[in-house]
Amino acid sequence: MKNDMKSTKQETEKVILLAIHDKKDDEATFKSTVQELESLAVTSQLEVMEVFTQKRERPDQQYYFGKGKIEEVIEYIELNDIKVNAVIANDELTTAQSKHLDELFNTKIIDRTQLILEIFAQRASSREGQLQVELAQLDYLLPRLSGHGKSLSRLGGGIGTRGPGETKLETDRRHIRTRMNEIKHQLETIVSHRSRYRERRQHNQAYQVALIGYTNAGKSSWFNQLSNDETFEQDLLFATLDPKSRAITINDGFNVILSDTVGFIQKLPTTLIAAFKSTLEEAKYAQLLVHVVDASHPHYMEQYETVMTLVNQLDMGHIPMLVVFNKKDLAPSNHSAISGQSIFVSAKDSNDKAIFKEKLVDMIKETMDYYEMDIPSSDADKLYWQKNHTLVEKMNFDEETETYHIKGYKQK
């Protein structure tokens, strides 16, 4: 099956994008969601032939677009004699809309949610990630099985065919629900393993820092810089899907667990927030969030607000946050940070790594309690433990008493 799929993907698939401009949304917000849809298509290796937009109070119940605009799209396809492999809508389509568009265009009809799921299916590499993708796809498709008709018979290869696959979709609902329960059970086992691992880390007093941010903001670049690791790093949306954590050392000995997380996005479907909750679990239990923002993006503040909204929805708003305005090498020089708890850096500038770590240390101190203590030089184990598990600011040795006087910060 996989080999057949690869052969069908050799020729780039041509797609047309449809986007409704809700009258409640301003021009900049609408344009950014359309640009994002184009980026999602490029990430999925599709060739965007044309983007059609229509300003409306709400999508048409039958065809998503109004009748006149639909005729304009059909006329464009006929005049240019294009073989369109798929029509992609910028919003989640109802079963009726999918069915009617299928009848009109006689090709695959995909919406924004399906496209995101497609990319998740391409990117997920761990067993957990693959299970989460399948669960999200089945959850999305289950209420839409009746009425898809010809759409399901088109699932022979290419865009929209990864994951559950044709045979699973055509079986009855009971079978799909059984499969969803199996996946949930397997995921519970994986999550409980991670939970035990996290409890062990907390018992060992490991300080946890989570990188969050909009997709393609540069989280993985900084994860690599700080941990000297090689996470998949590319200029694509959703390059990182699987949760990843590494131990790093700052301040000459203090151990920090750094976690990379999946990127946020506008119009992130609730199905995906629920399905990929586990990729954000590391962030939920962190003592400090590092919010990476692509400062070079024309709509970076909207992306910042999108992440902040989702952070609050996920009950993470109480966690202290360092905002990292990234890609300063590509951003306008007059960029201004939003608060004192932010830095303006580039993952490509070696000097900025030291700036990042210094700010990280300052922020960590703010989440901890100050302490002073004396340790005899003979107690080497205690001395070593303090350096690894607390943020030691000063250490003075008193030769007369053969004692180290330590000032630092410890976890609350």
Side-chain angles (χ1 to χ4, degrees), residues 374-375 377 395-405:
D374 293 320
I375 300 177
S377 59
M395 186 185 289
N396 297 318
F397 183 63
D398 187 328
E399 289 185 9
E400 283 184 28
T401 58
E402 292 191 342
T403 302
Y404 286 96
H405 184 65

Side-chain angles (χ1 to χ4, degrees), residues 206-222:
Y207 192 95
Q208 296 178 66
V209 175
L211 291 164
I212 63 164
Y214 210 77
T215 183
N216 204 31
K219 295 182 300 297
S220 294
S221 300
W222 276 111

Side-chain angles (χ1 to χ4, degrees), residues 290-308:
V290 175
H291 179 178
V292 183
V293 181
D294 177 0
S296 70
H297 196 283
H299 305 292
Y300 75 90
M301 279 311 293
E302 284 171 34
Q303 294 186 348
Y304 168 85
E305 293 295 344
T306 296
V307 173
M308 293 308 294

Side-chain angles (χ1 to χ4, degrees), residues 96-351:
Q97 288 167 337
S98 290
K99 184 185 174 191
H100 288 120
L101 288 172
D102 181 296
E103 288 166 355
L104 278 176
F105 291 105
N106 200 34
T107 191
K108 282 181 285 192
I109 307 300
I110 293 166
D111 63 24
R112 186 187 180 92
T113 302
Q114 283 173 288
L115 187 57
I116 293 171
L117 283 167
E118 168 81 8
I119 295 164
F120 273 38
Q122 288 174 330
R123 295 270 173 271
S125 57
S126 72
R127 179 67 182 144
E128 179 186 14
Q130 288 159 0
L131 286 169
Q132 293 281 19
V133 169
E134 188 179 351
L135 180 63
Q137 286 176 314
L138 291 171
D139 189 41
Y140 173 82
L141 287 163
L142 186 61
R144 293 171 169 80
L145 284 177
S146 59
H148 261 75
K150 286 188 291 181
S151 271
L152 284 181
S153 66
R154 297 192 208 288
L155 297 180
I159 182 75
T161 61
R162 292 176 186 81
E166 184 178 3
T167 52
K168 281 183 189 164
L169 298 184
E170 288 176 337
T171 54
D172 62 26
R173 291 167 185 273
R174 195 184 309 153
H175 178 84
I176 291 173
R177 287 199 182 96
T178 302
R179 176 62 189 148
M180 287 174 75
N181 287 331
E182 284 172 9
I183 294 170
K184 284 174 185 173
H185 181 71
Q186 289 179 52
L187 286 170
E188 279 170 14
T189 307
I190 294 169
V191 169
S192 69
H193 281 314
R194 192 185 297 119
S195 178
R196 283 197 294 275
Y197 174 59
R198 190 187 303 111
E199 281 169 15
R200 196 160 64 245
R201 284 202 319 234
Q202 287 171 338
H203 178 72
N204 294 334
Q205 288 196 301
Y207 192 95
Q208 296 178 66
V209 175
L211 291 164
I212 63 164
Y214 210 77
T215 183
N216 204 31
K219 295 182 300 297
S220 294
S221 300
W222 276 111
F223 183 85
N224 294 345
Q225 281 286 333
L226 297 168
S227 67
N228 300 316
D229 197 11
E230 290 184 12
T231 306
F232 180 69
E233 183 187 318
Q234 204 172 329
D235 189 22
L236 291 172
L237 300 188
F238 301 120
T240 302
L241 276 181
D242 298 309
K244 192 167 188 180
S245 298
R246 286 287 177 273
I248 65 167
T249 303
I250 59 171
N251 202 51
D252 299 326
F254 181 58
N255 289 326
V256 169
I257 301 293
L258 185 70
S259 299
D260 197 6
T261 61
V262 65
F264 293 75
I265 194 168
Q266 285 182 80
K267 295 189 179 184
L268 186 67
T270 50
T271 309
L272 294 187
I273 294 176
F276 282 82
K277 197 174 73 173
S278 63
T279 65
L280 295 164
E281 284 211 347
E282 295 298 330
K284 286 190 81 168
Y285 292 95
Q287 279 112 317
L288 179 67
L289 297 177
V290 175
H291 179 178
V292 183
V293 181
D294 177 0
S296 70
H297 196 283
H299 305 292
Y300 75 90
M301 279 311 293
E302 284 171 34
Q303 294 186 348
Y304 168 85
E305 293 295 344
T306 296
V307 173
M308 293 308 294
T309 301
L310 287 164
V311 161
N312 289 321
Q313 281 177 11
L314 292 160
D315 299 323
M316 288 155 52
H318 64 284
I319 305 171
M321 181 184 291
L322 166 62
V323 182
V324 176
F325 289 99
N326 191 35
K327 305 188 187 182
K328 76 170 185 188
D329 51 315
L330 304 172
S333 56
N334 62 349
H335 183 280
S336 58
I338 57 162
S339 73
Q341 309 293 34
S342 59
I343 51 173
F344 187 34
V345 291
S346 167
K348 293 180 179 176
D349 188 333
S350 55
N351 296 323

Side-chain angles (χ1 to χ4, degrees), residues 78-90:
E78 288 172 353
L79 278 174
N80 292 279
D81 195 24
I82 301 166
K83 183 186 181 328
V84 176
N85 300 95
V87 173
I88 304 176
N90 195 29

